[in-house]
Amino acid sequence: MDQVMTKKPHEMLAATLSQELDAVNVLIRKRMASEHAPRIPEVTAHLVEAGGKRLRPMLTLAAAKMCGYQGDHHLKLAATVEFIHTATLLHDDVVDESAQRRGRPTANLLWDNKSSVLVGDYLFARSFQLMVETGSLRVLDILANASATIAEGEVLQMTAASNLKTGEDIYLQVVRGKTAALFSAATEVGGVIAGASEAQVKALFDYGDALGIAFQIADDLLDYQGDSKATGKNVGDDFRERKLTLPVIKAVAQATEEERAFWTRTIEKGRQQDGDLEQALALMAKYGTLEATREDACRWAAKAKAALEALPDHEIRSMLSDLADYVVSRLS
Amino acid sequence: MDQVMTKKPHEMLAATLSQELDAVNVLIRKRMASEHAPRIPEVTAHLVEAGGKRLRPMLTLAAAKMCGYQGDHHLKLAATVEFIHTATLLHDDVVDESAQRRGRPTANLLWDNKSSVLVGDYLFARSFQLMVETGSLRVLDILANASATIAEGEVLQMTAASNLKTGEDIYLQVVRGKTAALFSAATEVGGVIAGASEAQVKALFDYGDALGIAFQIADDLLDYQGDSKATGKNVGDDFRERKLTLPVIKAVAQATEEERAFWTRTIEKGRQQDGDLEQALALMAKYGTLEATREDACRWAAKAKAALEALPDHEIRSMLSDLADYVVSRLS
């Protein structure tokens, strides 16, 4: 029992949903094939097999199972959200000119930007075919809207990331696009396909939305206080890449004229020099913005847990609740 | 009357469908907006307003009208296919590293590759929302399959374009992905939304498919025999870019050992020197492959016209028939 008790919540979920997850993995491998263009499964396998946690498909499976679903359309929807996620990763790495993802070289580095763009498009198209197969217009509506939120959030991030005028409202919209929109669509479609009540479907959306926001805020906070071994990133990567995230947005909002000049130079103009990261951290400490950001993340995690109350009492519900706690437990 | 008589078939269609086309343009402008990310309409407007012929949306409107459609979902579907087309152009220009499109600088040159990738994704998502609004699962199925064919064709072109093993079957698949899949989806969904009979829907698909193939083969042929003023391209661009198209594929299939070495050096290895294009043209002349390619294009145009026989006798049907003739009339 001890061994089970020390499992992390997403590992508990994976164990409970292992049969369904195996079936999703079979479906993913089948659907990423292409008879004539072997480059497609090559590139996709590089990412899909790279040991991601399958968090998003797991959310769909969990939502459907918790709501008593008996069919197999949830498997298709789980594969759908994983394909959408993989496609956005491929395009993100082109946009960010990234060299590493999950500790391995990115597809754009191993092959080229062309392959990443086109294979991403192929996965979007395949995800679209999978969701049409469920025959649910409501599911299609949810995923179409999520796709638009994701794409708009990405463009917004590109244009707003280094603009000091970016406030917490725009940050939240970017975060929904980057992370929360696919989380909330993943949980919502699980409920819809299971025929859950409107109240339950709304609760599933709210859970996924709040969980995704907590997750992304935590990620952005860890960039400034994380242990690089645990996160795989160096402290201050976002600062060096001139990305305005919540801890900095909060510091900019309270900045003196002189401090504002510092942020203008380092973030807006990108003229950084030795000691700037330390100065940025000192300004965040002065206004307690790392602590305030942590509190925001915890509030969203609490909101996620509260949403679960409308859902059936089920072992999976407890695991989803623990997952919300776990997302913010990494923060000091 | 004389003036009307000298109009080209797509101009005749545009005149006949002008009210619907105006409504589609309004819809396109409305749906490409983004409250928070002004980069999106900037980039999109650059392409959408650049004076493309709106051929694809016109095919959808024409098919629906010819089949007696009275509603307004065909406007949404016409905007859908234009958005899909625009998204693929944005991604193509990144993949091809193009600097010009329709005589103007490309979006990736005016903004950057990031904007082209992400705004393309946004337009795909918007097209997806539009088609969901029609509430027709059959339309969604057709467009999902077309999207997959398009993306697979693009990847295939990237990996097969410079490979001498590429035969006419693979070329045809690439052509369907590049051009014909969206043409045939555009005509087919017009018929589906109008509630046309199965025989008519099939005829509309066949017309769009054959027209698209004739169109692309003609385009590839003009690359070797066109007037650069008319086509906006220089003779032999595809040869210089090491793209295997039908005239070369036919020459490679009949090549002597020595000729094959020439194609291997120039296309596969890309080691080109002065006089190579002339040599390539001489080999195509030796085997008559430009003429054979022209005959193929004309066969596909005839097939497109034959498909129209199953459709209602209507002035639009005559224009679609003329359009098929027009596509190959540019060939000498």
Side-chain angles (χ1 to χ4, degrees), chain A residues 63-274:
Chain A
K65 192 163 190 169
M66 190 167 46
C67 296
Y69 184 56
Q70 298 290 335
D72 58 8
H73 282 339
H74 64 325
L75 304 177
K76 287 183 177 173
L77 292 175
T80 293
V81 298
E82 187 68 1
F83 274 169
I84 294 176
H85 176 55
T86 307
T88 61
L89 293 184
L90 283 167
H91 286 187
D92 276 357
D93 285 340
V94 171
V95 167
D96 291 344
E97 298 163 13
S98 312
Q100 285 221 330
R101 159 94 51 201
R102 295 176 186 159
R104 305 171 66 195
T106 54
N108 48 313
L109 202 77
L110 283 182
W111 290 273
D112 43 33
N113 279 346
K114 300 179 194 194
S115 300
S116 293
V117 170
L118 297 180
V119 174
D121 288 349
Y122 183 72
L123 292 180
F124 273 129
R126 292 302 251 172
S127 77
F128 182 16
Q129 287 179 309
L130 274 164
M131 55 182 118
V132 168
E133 288 174 22
T134 68
S136 163
L137 276 166
R138 180 142 179 219
V139 155
L140 287 157
D141 187 45
I142 291 166
L143 289 165
N145 293 335
S147 300
T149 303
I150 292 168
E152 193 169 16
E154 300 266 11
V155 179
L156 198 56
Q157 167 164 273
M158 174 180 67
T159 51
S162 302
N163 183 343
L164 287 197
K165 286 200 204 85
T166 298
E168 296 199 16
D169 53 336
I170 299 283
Y171 171 79
L172 197 61
Q173 205 185 332
V174 169
V175 164
R176 282 208 160 94
K178 274 176 85 159
T179 311
L182 194 51
F183 274 51
S184 58
T187 46
E188 192 179 6
V189 297
V192 166
I193 208 73
S197 71
E198 283 311 305
Q200 289 180 344
V201 168
K202 185 182 178 309
L204 285 166
F205 171 89
D206 288 341
Y207 172 79
D209 182 57
L211 183 77
I213 294 171
F215 185 93
Q216 189 59 49
I217 293 178
D219 212 53
D220 290 346
L221 178 54
L222 283 169
D223 188 76
Y224 284 109
Q225 57 169 207
D227 163 1
S228 68
K229 263 181 236 146
T231 62
K233 291 163 66 174
N234 300 311
V235 169
D237 274 348
D238 286 343
F239 179 76
R240 276 182 291 271
E241 290 166 19
R242 305 163 55 198
K243 274 189 199 160
L244 274 178
T245 57
L246 199 48
V248 173
I249 289 170
K250 286 178 187 290
V252 170
Q254 303 171 76
T256 64
E257 207 171 316
E258 192 187 343
E259 289 164 9
R260 204 176 163 84
F262 167 80
W263 294 118
T264 302
R265 172 175 65 76
T266 54
I267 301 283
E268 275 202 357
K269 306 200 169 155
R271 294 206 301 265
Q272 298 187 7
Q273 56 202 38
D274 276 359

Side-chain angles (χ1 to χ4, degrees), chain A residues 33-40 87 91-92 94-97 112-115 117-119 121-126 128-129 131-132 135-137 140-141 143-149 151-152 154-156 158-159 169-170 173, chain B residues 33-40 87 91-92 94-97 112-115 117-119 121-126 128-129 131-132 135-137 140-141 143-149 151-152 154-156 158-159 169-170 173:
Chain A
S34 159
E35 194 189 343
H36 295 291
R39 174 69 53 86
I40 291 173
H91 286 187
D92 276 357
V94 171
V95 167
D96 291 344
E97 298 163 13
D112 43 33
N113 279 346
K114 300 179 194 194
S115 300
V117 170
L118 297 180
V119 174
D121 288 349
Y122 183 72
L123 292 180
F124 273 129
R126 292 302 251 172
F128 182 16
Q129 287 179 309
M131 55 182 118
V132 168
S136 163
L137 276 166
L140 287 157
D141 187 45
L143 289 165
N145 293 335
S147 300
T149 303
E152 193 169 16
E154 300 266 11
V155 179
L156 198 56
M158 174 180 67
T159 51
D169 53 336
I170 299 283
Q173 205 185 332
Chain B
S34 160
E35 194 189 344
H36 296 290
R39 174 70 52 87
I40 290 172
H91 286 186
D92 275 359
V94 171
V95 166
D96 291 345
E97 297 162 12
D112 43 33
N113 278 345
K114 300 179 194 195
S115 299
V117 171
L118 296 180
V119 174
D121 288 349
Y122 183 72
L123 292 179
F124 273 128
R126 292 302 250 172
F128 181 17
Q129 286 180 309
M131 57 181 114
V132 169
S136 164
L137 276 166
L140 287 157
D141 186 45
L143 289 165
N145 292 336
S147 300
T149 304
E152 193 169 16
E154 298 268 10
V155 179
L156 197 57
M158 175 181 67
T159 50
D169 54 335
I170 298 284
Q173 204 185 335

